[in-house]
Amino acid sequence: MTDQTNDAVMDFAFEDDQDDEEYSNDDVKNLIRAWICERCAPEILPYKKHLLDNLLEMIEVQVCNIESFENSDADTAFKIILYQQEIERIKYIIRGYLRSRLKKIEMFSMHQLSNIELRSNLSDMEILYAENFNDLLSQYYNKSGLKVLNERLQQIDLENMIVRPDLEDAVFCRTKREVGEFQVDEGNRAVIMNFEPGSVYIIRYRWIKGLIADGSLELL
């Protein structure tokens, strides 16, 4: 590999720092962590809007960079390949993150739309998707069986039909920073736990929900 090609690789690796300080080198890593947490959490976590917006804008900039190349020599072609591979890698991570959320939105759509606090964890497009999904589900129930029943039996008890995430599920988590002594309620007694930085635990999600939200713990 020529020195010029080596320079192209280094330029690609550090271009975000040189050209646009708005982008963080940790954005992709943080999205991967958000994807893992989303897959492991029994409930839908808050949507990472700022992170997604940054990465989508970065993809757009990188596409423009590719289109701006005029030379067709081997070094330029190699640099274009690097850009394209990185763009596809980021797109794959974004798709995985969004699909993990959509899977849970379809499972818990009624629950997620039931109050403002739960709605706030969704993006505007996710709220629209959940509402449309609920409408389609209701139409399906009516057409597939409810319409042939008498009027009294056609009444749907929505409260009993709502599927809710099981916050009592056990999850694996790792301590990211010092937490110190932490009290959890176990039946009629309080249990004091001490989370040590870097240690891995298996524990009920409900107990550590707040620590996940403030970034003290991460799911595995």
Side-chain angles (χ1 to χ4, degrees):
M1 184 179 296
T2 67
D3 292 339
Q4 187 177 359
T5 303
N6 281 328
D7 291 341
V9 176
M10 296 304 292
D11 288 345
F12 176 77
F14 297 103
E15 185 161 356
D16 288 346
D17 285 340
Q18 296 171 351
D19 293 347
D20 195 343
E21 294 181 359
E22 180 182 353
Y23 301 128
S24 168
N25 287 335
D26 292 332
D27 280 347
V28 175
K29 182 176 67 174
N30 289 338
L31 183 59
I32 293 174
R33 294 305 320 159
W35 181 15
I36 294 173
C37 286
E38 194 67 59
R39 292 182 62 182
C40 296
E43 64 176 347
I44 301 175
L45 301 178
Y47 178 70
K48 303 292 186 181
K49 183 181 186 304
H50 179 70
L51 188 59
L52 267 294
D53 288 346
N54 272 356
L55 289 173
L56 291 174
E57 186 176 350
M58 185 174 70
I59 288 174
E60 185 177 347
V61 170
Q62 300 292 39
V63 170
C64 291
N65 287 338
I66 292 174
E67 294 175 348
S68 68
F69 288 126
E70 297 179 355
N71 298 328
S72 58
D73 56 83
D75 291 331
T76 301
F78 179 73
K79 189 172 184 179
I80 290 175
I81 291 173
L82 290 179
Y83 274 103
Q84 290 172 334
Q85 288 180 340
E86 182 66 7
I87 289 171
E88 290 305 314
R89 181 174 77 97
I90 296 173
K91 285 182 177 179
Y92 175 81
I93 297 168
I94 292 175
R95 286 194 297 266
Y97 172 72
L98 295 177
R99 284 171 179 166
S100 296
R101 294 178 60 81
L102 287 178
K103 180 180 179 181
K104 288 193 282 189
I105 287 172
E106 291 179 358
M107 189 179 302
F108 308 127
S109 57
M110 290 184 183
H111 168 72
Q112 205 66 32
L113 297 173
S114 61
N115 65 60
I116 296 177
E117 182 179 357
L118 293 173
R119 277 175 171 261
S120 66
N121 287 344
L122 304 179
S123 69
D124 292 340
M125 292 300 295
E126 287 175 335
I127 291 176
L128 181 61
Y129 181 86
E131 290 173 343
N132 290 338
F133 181 83
N134 274 348
D135 290 342
L136 290 174
L137 199 61
S138 177
Q139 292 175 23
Y140 169 76
Y141 288 147
N142 286 324
K143 291 181 180 180
S144 64
L146 289 177
K147 67 178 182 180
V148 302
L149 302 176
N150 63 51
E151 186 175 348
R152 182 175 63 84
L153 295 177
Q154 288 182 16
Q155 302 301 317
I156 301 177
D157 187 353
L158 293 179
E159 183 63 28
N160 289 331
M161 289 184 61
I162 294 178
V163 179
R164 297 177 173 83
D166 185 3
L167 302 185
E168 300 297 324
D169 270 357
V171 294
F172 285 93
C173 64
R174 177 167 53 213
T175 310
K176 295 175 62 177
R177 58 172 179 253
E178 184 69 36
V179 175
E181 293 186 348
F182 184 75
Q183 179 176 313
V184 298
D185 295 325
E186 175 59 27
N188 296 325
R189 64 190 181 93
V191 178
I192 303 297
M193 301 189 63
N194 187 21
F195 293 98
E196 299 180 359
S199 297
V200 175
Y201 303 87
I202 180 170
I203 191 171
R204 290 182 183 177
Y205 177 80
R206 174 175 59 84
W207 290 349
I208 60 168
K209 179 179 177 180
L211 297 178
I212 296 295
D214 68 18
S216 298
L217 304 180
E218 63 181 1
L219 297 178
L220 300 174

